[in-house]
Amino acid sequence: MSSIIERIRNIGIAAHIDAGKTTVSERILYFTGKSYKIGEVHDGTAVMDYLPEEQERGITITSAATTCPWRDHQINLIDTPGHVDFTIEVERSLRVLDGAVAVFCAVGGVEAQSETVWRQAERYHVPRLCFINKMDRLGADFETVVGEIRDRLSANPVPIQIPIGQGVDFVGQIDLIERKAYYYREAEVATELAVEEIPAELRPAAEKARHDMIEAIASLDEALMAKYVHEEPISVEEIKAALRRCVIAKGVQPVLCGSALRHMGIQPLLDAVVDYLPSPLDMPPIMGQTGVEGEEPISRRPDPDEPFSGLVFKIIADQHGDLYFLRVYSGTLKIGSRVLNATRQKKENVSRVLEMHARQRIQREQATVGDIVALIGPKISLTGDTLCDTRHPIILEKMVFPRPVISMSIEPANAAEKDRMAEALATLRREDPTFKSSMDNETGQLLISGMGELHLEVLRNKLVRDMGVNVRVGTPRVAYRETITVAAEAEGRFIRQTGGHGQYGVVYLRVEPMAVPDSSGDAIVFESEIKQGAIPREYIPSVEQGVMDAATSGPLAGYPVTGVRVTLLDGKYHPVDSSDLAFQQAGSLGFREAISKARPIFLEPIMRLEVVMPESYMGAVAGDLNSRRAEITHMEHRGNYCKVEARAPLASMFGYSTVLRSLTQGRGTSSMEPLTYGYVPPEVAAKLA
């Protein structure tokens, strides 16, 4: 069994939008024999982009999983979106993968979402390969992109290939390890790989690059360093073994190149996935908690004989039964099993285990270590929940989801649609942890919230087209927050005497401003300084609950309160009349009173904006950004193009991509991602209150 697990590679394809991830995935499916014709993103025929929305827009919206064979290995592949509005798809995929292929455009280099993806991979300690795509495009520059990976991502890229020509002259690659040249002959459908000797005129450059590669690997691998220092001959197998050790230890990232659209470089990339990325057995034991307070963390080794454990990382609502995507970390899961959802302490049934190929499903009898499968049967599990053996509970590390930054009102077209809309919204919340729906206390409107304009548009189309719910929607609105600027103290007093048993709770609170949190940071931090039993300990959680409830609606305009440290200083209780409810109400009243004294102000989401356009349009674009309260933080030139990075308030960026196309005659592109929250200027705040 271990020899089978050793031949599994769980990998994801991740990158900035339009770097060519899905095109790489489609070529992998073709060359591994998984599909017999090549799907194209621009034609809407890509296997991995199977949703109507994806085929219309030519972008990936949801991560798609498949399994394909290569050199007697099983590659479980997940193609992830590049658009920042769907960053949760990348986040939850990287959480369960053992390795990743980071795709970079040979012209665009390291772009905004490239950095986000790289940070996500760092957070989950995922080893990576780099594939520099689109080497056949005008302006392609292999060495510049390698330098950007090193400088902007603080990475250690080591080229194991160098291109033969660039731009229109790109014809193949030189394999520095094997000392071979790869050329590509046009075949009827794809491209045949021709392995030849390195041309004489390219040998000096290839030998220098090979020397640099070996030196970089040897500096991190003792076995190779011993041979390198003593100038002993180093075999191809020794280089590959040392490089594999370094990649798994996350010391280096091998760099390959090619042109996925022209089918060039895919076979060597597949070889690199098999040779250098880890199998489930190469990964350290997964750590988790028992769920019992005070107990030590426990671990599960990637072993079929260990108790079963797995993580639910994605849910897809389906009319025949919801699909729960699961990564198995230990043990074996058989159909008909009863498992424990350790996160929620409830038992679930597993009626079917499916191997997924985009939208196709293949029935399986069981799933074991390293498998990524879809389950039918669970009912209450959510993204990030742990399923495990009922007799050996373990709770694996949960995922952190960013908070929504944009919302819009939604209402059913008629009374008959109301219940259907409620069910559909519950389904969307189950599928997408970054989607929220809530009631606006002031207007009574139902709001849906997400990560950006495109995210909300896709969600609305899902409701109308896929779920058949007739709804009306308002214009997108910014998810403002409220915070405080000075410390303040207040008393919260809830005393009611209605005859018989009354209610008595008194608390004294202090509120202080904290650093403005990012989109996923703690909004409110609660601490207690109660000494000598001024309030019994069992009532303190009730005070905290009251504070958290009150923080959902601020004093200025009812937006959620964030960035506040709340300290419970003192209080009073009554031995008969005090209750959880009384202290919850007292905490809520005290918090509201304190923040109203603490000079509350508005916060707005600040986006990280990247704009790429021809240099001749720089003046017009900069002037437009200035009018939108944007602050340009970095600018660089590459050929005739200019790349601008800026911090911009989301409120002034609605419809920006349309304006940019107009300013640059369709030649400019932009991408945005949430960065932080910033203070709203007084003149803008006056319109919000």
Side-chain angles (χ1 to χ4, degrees):
M1 178 64 84
S2 63
S3 63
I4 296 171
I5 298 170
E6 198 178 338
R7 293 199 295 272
I8 292 175
R9 299 290 182 271
N10 289 318
I11 68 163
I13 311 286
H16 184 86
I17 192 167
D18 281 343
K21 297 174 302 303
T22 302
T23 305
V24 170
S25 300
E26 295 296 324
R27 300 310 183 265
I28 286 174
L29 294 184
Y30 178 81
F31 284 111
T32 57
K34 194 67 182 183
S35 39
Y36 298 99
K37 64 174 185 174
I38 294 179
E40 298 291 5
V41 175
H42 51 269
D43 292 338
T45 57
V47 175
M48 303 298 267
D49 284 353
Y50 58 86
L51 297 177
E53 196 84 22
E54 296 177 314
Q55 292 169 354
E56 283 173 18
R57 297 174 184 274
I59 63 169
T60 303
I61 290 171
T62 181
S63 52
T66 189
T67 300
C68 43
W70 187 255
R71 278 176 36 194
D72 293 327
H73 285 68
Q74 173 187 317
I75 298 176
N76 296 326
L77 172 71
I78 296 182
D79 175 35
T80 65
H83 198 287
V84 69
D85 283 15
F86 311 106
T87 188
I88 182 59
E89 294 287 339
V90 187
E91 183 90 20
R92 57 185 172 189
S93 298
L94 288 172
R95 170 67 178 83
V96 298
L97 293 172
D98 300 326
V101 176
V103 180
F104 299 90
C105 172
V107 180
V110 175
E111 298 170 274
Q113 187 66 359
S114 314
E115 296 185 37
T116 304
V117 167
W118 200 268
R119 284 197 306 271
Q120 289 168 320
E122 285 288 328
R123 185 182 310 136
Y124 296 119
H125 312 292
V126 178
R128 275 140 283 169
L129 301 177
C130 300
F131 182 70
I132 299 178
N133 191 26
K134 304 189 180 183
M135 284 300 305
D136 57 324
R137 274 187 58 191
L138 190 66
D141 192 328
F142 179 79
E143 289 185 5
T144 298
V145 178
V146 172
E148 284 188 7
I149 295 170
R150 181 180 299 108
D151 299 336
R152 290 186 59 174
L153 303 178
S154 302
N156 186 17
V158 175
I160 60 172
Q161 292 179 348
I162 57 173
I164 304 175
Q166 298 192 120
V168 293
D169 300 325
F170 178 67
V171 293
Q173 310 100 330
I174 292 173
D175 185 322
L176 300 177
I177 298 176
E178 302 271 3
R179 284 189 166 118
K180 295 289 182 186
Y182 297 151
Y183 294 96
Y184 299 87
R185 297 195 197 97
E186 288 297 328
E188 236 174 78
V189 181
T191 309
E192 292 177 359
L193 177 65
V195 182
E196 299 179 10
E197 294 301 314
I198 300 172
E201 67 273 15
L202 297 178
R203 275 181 206 148
E207 286 305 312
K208 181 186 182 306
R210 190 175 196 272
H211 177 270
D212 293 344
M213 174 193 72
I214 293 173
E215 187 174 51
I217 301 168
S219 67
L220 295 167
D221 189 85
E222 288 183 15
L224 200 66
M225 177 58 87
K227 286 203 152 196
Y228 177 75
V229 168
H230 295 103
E231 297 185 357
E232 295 175 21
I234 300 172
S235 69
V236 167
E237 288 69 30
E238 287 170 324
I239 296 173
K240 286 185 174 181
L243 182 55
R244 179 178 175 77
R245 289 191 293 269
C246 291
V247 171
I248 292 172
K250 295 174 290 295
V252 302
Q253 295 81 37
V255 182
L256 300 95
C257 62
S259 168
L261 189 64
R262 290 174 57 196
H263 326 300
M264 302 167 74
I266 301 301
Q267 298 105 311
L269 175 63
L270 283 164
D271 287 338
V273 165
V274 166
D275 288 338
Y276 309 123
L277 288 181
S279 75
L281 296 180
D282 294 314
M283 304 306 288
I286 190 88
M287 302 301 293
Q289 304 288 334
T290 60
V292 179
E293 197 172 334
E295 286 199 7
E296 291 290 310
I298 54 175
S299 65
R300 292 277 187 272
R301 291 179 298 112
D303 185 337
D305 297 327
E306 285 264 300
F308 162 70
S309 67
L311 189 81
V312 176
F313 69 95
K314 181 179 171 75
I315 299 169
I316 294 180
D318 190 89
Q319 58 188 7
H320 305 298
D322 291 355
L323 293 174
Y324 293 79
F325 283 74
L326 182 89
R327 160 70 195 261
V328 182
Y329 283 101
S330 64
T332 301
L333 175 66
K334 297 183 178 178
I335 58 172
S337 301
R338 192 158 169 78
V339 296
L340 174 68
N341 181 324
T343 311
R344 303 184 189 282
Q345 293 300 309
K346 296 277 179 68
K347 291 184 179 175
E348 295 268 49
N349 295 316
V350 177
S351 55
R352 295 173 71 191
V353 176
L354 304 170
E355 180 183 301
M356 300 300 292
H357 174 49
R359 63 167 51 183
Q360 298 171 18
R361 305 165 187 186
I362 301 164
Q363 182 89 23
R364 289 178 56 164
E365 293 299 311
Q366 63 179 38
T368 189
V369 176
D371 282 341
I372 293 176
V373 292
L375 310 181
I376 292 180
K379 298 294 181 196
I380 54 102
S381 296
L382 294 175
T383 300
D385 286 1
T386 303
L387 300 183
C388 61
D389 189 308
T390 53
R391 293 161 299 175
H392 300 90
I394 182 172
I395 303 174
L396 304 177
E397 181 191 352
K398 290 194 74 172
M399 288 180 261
V400 178
F401 306 122
R403 291 200 288 268
V405 295
I406 186 172
S407 60
M408 66 184 179
S409 61
I410 184 170
E411 60 182 30
N414 52 59
E417 295 286 309
K418 191 172 181 181
D419 290 342
R420 293 185 64 217
M421 187 182 81
E423 285 178 24
L425 292 177
T427 298
L428 290 179
R429 283 196 302 271
R430 211 163 61 247
E431 285 190 348
D432 185 350
T434 59
F435 167 72
K436 299 279 184 288
S437 61
S438 60
M439 193 65 73
D440 187 318
N441 294 330
E442 286 196 351
T443 64
Q445 287 180 309
L446 182 65
L447 300 178
I448 59 172
S449 307
M451 299 306 297
E453 285 182 273
L454 180 60
H455 188 201
L456 289 185
E457 194 178 327
V458 168
L459 290 169
R460 183 191 64 198
N461 290 346
K462 264 191 181 181
L463 279 171
V464 176
R465 182 165 57 189
D466 300 348
M467 300 178 176
V469 183
N470 195 1
V471 296
R472 289 193 294 262
V473 296
T475 54
R477 304 172 359 174
V478 175
Y480 288 102
R481 299 277 187 269
E482 297 180 25
T483 192
I484 58 175
T485 52
V486 297
E489 295 182 8
E491 177 190 71
R493 177 182 290 267
F494 187 76
I495 301 174
R496 300 285 186 274
Q497 198 63 48
T498 54
H501 187 64
Q503 298 286 357
Y504 188 100
V506 179
V507 299
Y508 298 94
L509 300 174
R510 179 174 66 236
V511 295
E512 303 165 273
M514 294 194 302
V516 175
D518 61 21
S519 59
S520 59
D522 288 331
I524 304 289
V525 173
F526 181 86
E527 297 171 348
S528 172
E529 290 184 359
I530 291 290
K531 296 183 177 63
Q532 299 171 345
I535 298 175
R537 285 176 69 179
E538 63 265 26
Y539 292 137
I540 292 175
S542 300
V543 178
E544 181 177 1
Q545 184 60 50
V547 166
M548 295 304 175
D549 290 346
T552 59
S553 178
L556 295 175
Y559 292 110
V561 178
T562 190
V564 177
R565 184 184 305 281
V566 184
T567 307
L568 175 58
L569 301 171
D570 202 355
K572 297 175 185 174
Y573 80 103
H574 189 280
V576 176
D577 290 348
S578 286
S579 66
D580 286 327
L581 176 62
F583 277 101
Q584 192 171 325
Q585 292 294 332
S588 183
L589 293 167
F591 179 75
R592 287 198 175 99
E593 176 72 19
I595 61 169
S596 63
K597 293 179 178 178
R599 296 187 200 157
I601 60 167
F602 289 106
L603 294 171
E604 63 182 344
I606 303 295
M607 309 300 282
R608 180 177 172 209
L609 172 70
E610 187 176 274
V611 185
V612 179
M613 70 276 170
E615 263 186 313
S616 54
Y617 299 107
M618 179 62 213
V621 170
D624 180 66
L625 288 176
N626 192 42
S627 71
R628 295 171 183 271
R629 297 193 284 128
E631 173 196 345
I632 293 176
T633 56
H634 182 72
M635 194 183 302
E636 66 180 71
H637 298 271
R638 180 182 292 162
N640 296 325
Y641 273 74
C642 187
K643 184 189 289 186
V644 171
E645 290 179 18
R647 295 163 52 103
L650 176 61
S652 61
M653 298 307 292
F654 288 135
Y656 179 69
S657 56
T658 305
V659 173
L660 180 65
R661 279 196 294 271
S662 173
L663 287 172
T664 61
Q665 296 181 349
R667 297 171 67 191
T669 60
S670 67
S671 62
M672 278 195 301
E673 63 176 330
L675 179 63
T676 185
Y677 273 83
Y679 300 126
V680 176
E683 64 275 12
V684 179
K687 299 172 186 173
L688 298 175

